[in-house]
Amino acid sequence: MATLRVPEVVPSPSEDAEQLRKAFEGWGTNEGLIISILAHRNAAQRKLIRQVYAETYGEDLLKALNKELTSDFERIVLLWTLDPAERDAFLANEATKRLTSNNWVLMEIACTRSSHDLFMVRQAYHARFKKSLEEDVAYHTSGDFRKLLVPLVSSFRYEGDEVNMILAKSEAKILHEKISEKSYSHEELIRILTTRSKAQLNATLNHYNNEFGNVITKDLEADPEDEYLKLLKAAIQCLTYSAKYFEEVLRLGINKMGTDEWALTRVVATRVEVDMERIKEEYYRRNSIPLDRAIAKDASGDYEKMLLALIGHVDA
Amino acid sequence: MATLRVPEVVPSPSEDAEQLRKAFEGWGTNEGLIISILAHRNAAQRKLIRQVYAETYGEDLLKALNKELTSDFERIVLLWTLDPAERDAFLANEATKRLTSNNWVLMEIACTRSSHDLFMVRQAYHARFKKSLEEDVAYHTSGDFRKLLVPLVSSFRYEGDEVNMILAKSEAKILHEKISEKSYSHEELIRILTTRSKAQLNATLNHYNNEFGNVITKDLEADPEDEYLKLLKAAIQCLTYSAKYFEEVLRLGINKMGTDEWALTRVVATRVEVDMERIKEEYYRRNSIPLDRAIAKDASGDYEKMLLALIGHVDA
């Protein structure tokens, strides 16, 4: 379900490093060469290129890219080149800082990564920021947002598909009660959403739908201006149907209606090696225009070329 | 700082497995033989013995021990034989069950294990119980206990020794404010205690002591009958000075004054390979009697022999 296209014969990491070095040298930067290499290597290959580059030229490849590139193109290339766990740690850290604070990014990382991958992010966060992820999230949030986000980023959900139907029924009832009372940050509601396995939650929410006549996300639309309620609803979507969530983020990002200007870059960088094919399907289904065409209309230059290459556009 | 004594020449795992099999056979069980083997093998060696035993005799060694042994002796041998992460997962699961519920055990595991070891416990919990640790803790606790215990068991604290002194001062002030207001479960107090690194917390609590004239644990003695307050105080002790905490658990356990009848067994099984030597020092300092003599007076039979062998008593 990934859209990454890696050539059948891949150059060695040292050849790639050498070509990248060439792209940086001389008068002007060869952006096309950078795209032709980095946009067509998987995470393990990019990691090796970064290692060999540092060994050969005594400089971190990311530093070199940072010096050579600018604006949106720079951001997508840097994010993409990072190791997935490091990238998420970087995005999460940015999301806890005052000027770039973004609860959605934190929620997205916590709810759409596998338990193992989320733990890798927490390890990468220690290594890079000398702090824990939950420590920064707890420190930089407050009130209902903190109550939801800290357990989300600290979770290590069970990933088996066993489901307890009796529990699903009783917890669907609790969720319905709390939502009816508008107690959207009640500790029992938070407990259920932040600790149960995705399979168990799915059974609970299906029962909710069957028993109470509405999907839960519909019942959470009581106040469309409430930022916490929007985040809660999005968290449920991420936990149960993430392709749909990402489609919506892309739709709002591309049409510049969303508040999250880096959304397009982030979703592409983080989903290309995971489920971008599924997201493209959802996008087409909802917007009647293929994602690559929508991006081509919205973005331009090297930024556009990089995005299209990553989502598997064949001419890129 | 471990008290485990492993012989210089260790028999092969298959020899050990064979000897254990012999100890189970015939009329009566040879408890002395079991002690002479298991009490003198480290975690890696016990794991191999268990593997070889299962391969050779088609039965889990733990099942065999369970059939052959009884009461306190059975419990110490079983707990000890388990892999440390599996053992903690087992103890934590027991502590979330109604009849054996014990918030202290949960707090102890969450606060005295390293971040990496606590994560291993969470992995072992998935594997054995098909659920997550935090899921069971959240489900089986409520109110202030839940507010404290869920973030504690979900934590993955940074373990470097970097300290931010400005933060230590500001957070010492927050802690003092909340304690003065008797807001012992205030979200800020919980945040600080459950997310900061042990080094950072230590700096904060030292500043608390310097600035406000009392150690924090003293200020938490306002109501000695309050179970939550006692747990909170113990959590701080575990995070900052665990040998002292374990000394106290042993003291109350041995003198049968504590409510936790399995304390002696648990502390010995979990600390022998970690810091039992330090705990013995603390014990002697506080009780004027060496731990081995106190145990010899309190326990008897094979249970006593096993405990003494584990804590490094030379005649055992």
Side-chain angles (χ1 to χ4, degrees):
Chain A
M1 301 227 293
T3 56
L4 181 69
R5 289 184 301 115
V6 174
E8 281 187 32
V9 183
V10 181
S12 71
S14 54
E15 285 174 82
D16 278 343
E18 200 186 322
Q19 289 297 307
L20 286 168
R21 186 71 173 184
K22 277 198 188 138
F24 305 150
E25 278 169 353
W27 195 71
T29 304
N30 188 342
E31 286 86 358
L33 186 54
I34 295 173
I35 296 173
S36 73
I37 298 169
L38 290 177
H40 300 287
R41 300 291 181 273
N42 66 29
Q45 293 163 341
R46 299 193 305 275
K47 193 171 189 164
L48 275 176
I49 294 172
R50 227 179 123 188
Q51 266 172 26
V52 171
Y53 191 96
E55 283 160 20
T56 314
Y57 305 107
E59 187 185 22
D60 187 344
L61 174 61
L62 292 171
K63 278 248 170 71
L65 290 165
N66 178 260
K67 276 194 299 196
E68 298 294 328
L69 313 178
T70 57
S71 73
D72 287 341
F73 180 57
E74 176 190 354
R75 188 166 166 92
I76 183 67
V77 173
L78 287 179
L79 282 184
W80 169 250
T81 304
L82 278 168
D83 179 70
E86 268 186 289
R87 182 203 295 140
D88 280 348
F90 172 84
L91 289 168
N93 179 259
E94 200 176 58
T96 61
K97 294 208 165 142
R98 206 163 55 88
L99 292 175
T100 47
S101 87
N102 190 326
N103 291 331
W104 286 66
V105 172
L106 297 172
M107 177 282 292
E108 190 178 295
I109 291 172
C111 297
T112 66
R113 276 45 163 175
S114 72
S115 298
H116 175 260
D117 286 351
L118 178 57
F119 178 69
M120 301 282 281
V121 177
R122 295 171 80 184
Q123 281 191 308
Y125 205 98
H126 276 203
R128 176 145 185 178
F129 302 108
K130 310 285 173 204
K131 283 181 292 182
S132 74
L133 170 58
E134 66 270 26
E135 178 174 7
D136 277 353
V137 171
Y139 189 58
H140 293 282
T141 55
S142 62
D144 288 348
F145 292 97
R146 180 192 278 177
K147 272 169 97 174
L148 178 65
L149 287 170
V150 173
L152 280 181
V153 302
S154 311
S155 69
F156 181 65
R157 291 176 202 265
Y158 177 62
E159 297 205 306
D161 51 15
E162 298 89 345
V163 162
N164 177 336
M165 284 310 293
I166 297 171
L167 195 66
K169 285 182 187 184
S170 71
E171 297 196 337
K173 195 159 163 263
I174 296 175
L175 292 177
H176 186 256
E177 261 171 38
K178 301 309 163 197
I179 291 172
S180 304
E181 296 163 3
K182 298 191 186 297
S183 301
Y184 304 118
S185 64
H186 188 280
E187 60 165 323
E188 278 289 280
L189 182 146
I190 301 269
R191 172 186 66 76
I192 295 167
L193 297 179
T194 60
T195 68
R196 293 304 185 193
S197 75
K198 292 184 183 179
Q200 179 68 35
L201 255 186
N202 215 53
T204 300
L205 299 182
N206 280 329
H207 186 79
Y208 184 106
N209 194 355
N210 297 339
E211 187 72 16
F212 306 110
N214 265 339
V215 291
I216 190 168
T217 42
K218 188 91 191 154
D219 287 345
L220 291 174
E221 283 168 0
D223 179 0
E225 296 304 305
D226 183 328
E227 289 297 323
Y228 168 74
L229 213 51
K230 281 198 269 185
L231 186 69
L232 184 67
K233 191 186 146 195
I236 292 172
Q237 210 170 24
C238 281
L239 289 166
T240 55
Y241 195 177
S242 61
K244 187 88 202 69
Y245 164 84
F246 285 118
E247 178 283 315
E248 197 174 326
V249 174
L250 286 177
R251 171 159 37 96
L252 299 177
I254 288 173
N255 297 321
K256 304 269 190 256
M257 285 153 42
T259 50
D260 184 359
E261 53 180 349
W262 285 340
L264 174 58
T265 302
R266 182 181 80 242
V267 173
V268 170
T270 60
R271 306 316 291 179
V272 158
E273 283 186 279
V274 188
D275 57 358
M276 185 49 88
E277 211 52 75
R278 269 293 285 121
I279 297 169
K280 279 162 71 178
E281 274 174 43
E282 287 293 333
Y283 192 89
Y284 184 65
R285 210 154 65 94
R286 175 67 178 76
N287 300 280
S288 309
I289 170 175
L291 181 60
D292 51 3
R293 263 209 277 152
I295 288 177
K297 276 170 66 177
D298 189 65
S300 62
D302 297 317
Y303 178 55
E304 175 195 349
K305 284 186 198 130
M306 181 75 184
L307 291 174
L308 292 179
L310 287 174
I311 68 164
H313 184 75
V314 277
D315 298 321
Chain B
M1 301 227 292
T3 56
L4 181 69
R5 288 184 301 114
V6 175
E8 281 187 31
V9 183
V10 181
S12 72
S14 53
E15 284 175 82
D16 278 344
E18 200 185 320
Q19 289 297 307
L20 286 168
R21 187 69 174 184
K22 276 199 188 139
F24 303 151
E25 279 170 352
W27 195 71
T29 303
N30 188 341
E31 286 86 359
L33 186 54
I34 295 173
I35 297 173
S36 74
I37 298 169
L38 291 176
H40 300 287
R41 300 292 181 274
N42 66 30
Q45 292 163 340
R46 298 193 305 275
K47 193 171 190 165
L48 275 177
I49 295 173
R50 226 179 122 188
Q51 267 173 24
V52 171
Y53 192 95
E55 282 161 20
T56 313
Y57 305 107
E59 187 185 22
D60 187 344
L61 174 61
L62 291 171
K63 278 247 170 69
L65 290 166
N66 178 259
K67 276 194 299 196
E68 298 292 329
L69 313 179
T70 56
S71 73
D72 286 342
F73 180 57
E74 176 189 353
R75 188 166 166 91
I76 182 69
V77 173
L78 288 179
L79 282 184
W80 170 250
T81 304
L82 279 167
D83 180 69
E86 269 186 289
R87 182 202 295 141
D88 280 348
F90 172 84
L91 289 168
N93 179 259
E94 200 177 58
T96 61
K97 295 210 165 142
R98 207 163 55 86
L99 293 174
T100 47
S101 87
N102 190 325
N103 290 332
W104 285 67
V105 171
L106 297 171
M107 177 283 293
E108 188 178 297
I109 290 172
C111 297
T112 65
R113 276 45 164 176
S114 72
S115 298
H116 176 261
D117 286 351
L118 178 57
F119 179 68
M120 300 283 280
V121 177
R122 295 172 80 183
Q123 281 192 307
Y125 205 98
H126 276 202
R128 176 146 186 178
F129 302 108
K130 310 284 174 206
K131 283 181 292 182
S132 74
L133 170 59
E134 65 270 28
E135 179 174 6
D136 278 353
V137 171
Y139 189 58
H140 293 281
T141 53
S142 63
D144 288 348
F145 291 97
R146 180 191 278 177
K147 272 169 99 174
L148 177 65
L149 287 170
V150 174
L152 279 181
V153 301
S154 310
S155 69
F156 181 65
R157 292 175 201 267
Y158 177 62
E159 296 205 306
D161 52 15
E162 298 89 345
V163 162
N164 178 337
M165 285 310 293
I166 296 169
L167 195 66
K169 284 183 189 183
S170 70
E171 297 197 336
K173 196 159 162 263
I174 297 174
L175 292 177
H176 187 255
E177 260 171 39
K178 299 311 163 197
I179 291 172
S180 305
E181 297 163 3
K182 297 193 186 293
S183 302
Y184 304 118
S185 63
H186 189 280
E187 61 165 325
E188 278 289 279
L189 180 147
I190 301 268
R191 173 186 66 77
I192 294 166
L193 297 179
T194 61
T195 68
R196 293 305 185 194
S197 75
K198 291 184 185 181
Q200 180 67 36
L201 255 187
N202 215 53
T204 300
L205 299 182
N206 280 328
H207 186 77
Y208 185 106
N209 194 353
N210 297 339
E211 188 72 15
F212 306 110
N214 265 339
V215 292
I216 190 169
T217 43
K218 188 90 191 157
D219 287 346
L220 290 173
E221 283 169 359
D223 178 0
E225 295 304 304
D226 183 327
E227 289 298 323
Y228 169 74
L229 214 50
K230 280 197 270 185
L231 186 69
L232 184 67
K233 192 187 145 195
I236 292 172
Q237 210 171 24
C238 281
L239 289 165
T240 54
Y241 195 177
S242 61
K244 187 85 202 71
Y245 164 83
F246 285 118
E247 178 282 315
E248 197 174 325
V249 174
L250 287 177
R251 172 158 37 95
L252 300 177
I254 289 173
N255 297 321
K256 304 269 189 254
M257 284 153 42
T259 50
D260 184 359
E261 53 180 351
W262 285 339
L264 174 58
T265 302
R266 183 182 80 243
V267 173
V268 170
T270 59
R271 305 317 289 182
V272 158
E273 285 187 277
V274 187
D275 57 357
M276 186 49 88
E277 211 53 74
R278 269 293 285 123
I279 298 170
K280 279 162 72 178
E281 272 174 43
E282 286 293 333
Y283 192 89
Y284 184 64
R285 211 154 63 93
R286 175 67 178 75
N287 300 279
S288 308
I289 170 176
L291 180 61
D292 52 2
R293 264 210 275 151
I295 288 177
K297 274 170 68 178
D298 188 65
S300 62
D302 298 317
Y303 178 55
E304 174 195 348
K305 284 185 199 130
M306 181 74 183
L307 291 174
L308 293 180
L310 288 173
I311 68 163
H313 184 75
V314 277
D315 297 320

